[in-house]
């Protein structure tokens, strides 16, 4: 079962790139990670690489209290 989505830090890092998310979810290729996909209102985006915090090469956004709706949860290695 995936961890509770709403137990995020007040500022959390998200990416627009699925491949980047998969790498962070499972950096050692153990097949034991979770990738969350969420809809987050623009008003909750605290920063991007273009405006301050965030890594441009990771397509990173810093989200303020990401309580957006989860559209899809991908999991693997959870047998």
């Amino acid at each position: 079962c995936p961890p509770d989505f709403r137990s995020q830090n007040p500022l959390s890092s998200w990416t627009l790139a699925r491949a980047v998310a998969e790498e962070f979810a499972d950096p050692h290729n153990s097949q034991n990670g979770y990738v969350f996909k969420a809809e987050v209102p623009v008003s909750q985006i605290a920063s991007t690489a273009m405006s301050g915090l965030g890594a441009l090469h990771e397509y990173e956004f810093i989200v303020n209290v990401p309580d957006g709706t989860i559209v899809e949860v991908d999991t693997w290695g959870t047998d």
Side-chain angles (χ1 to χ4, degrees):
C1 180
D4 183 6
F5 170 73
R6 287 173 179 76
S7 63
Q8 299 282 309
N9 291 320
L11 293 176
S12 296
S13 173
W14 287 79
T15 180
L16 293 177
R18 182 185 176 110
V20 172
E22 289 174 349
E23 179 63 29
F24 275 95
D26 190 21
H28 303 293
N29 203 18
S30 63
Q31 303 297 309
N32 241 351
Y34 300 99
V35 173
F36 293 93
K37 179 179 177 183
E39 294 179 6
V40 178
V42 172
S43 62
Q44 288 183 259
I45 297 175
S47 183
T48 72
M50 301 301 282
S51 65
L53 300 174
L56 187 60
H57 68 283
E58 293 174 350
Y59 306 96
E60 183 180 20
F61 284 78
I62 307 301
V63 178
N64 185 18
V65 189
D67 61 358
T69 303
I70 297 176
V71 178
E72 174 183 331
V73 178
D74 291 333
T75 63
W76 63 94
T78 58
D79 298 337

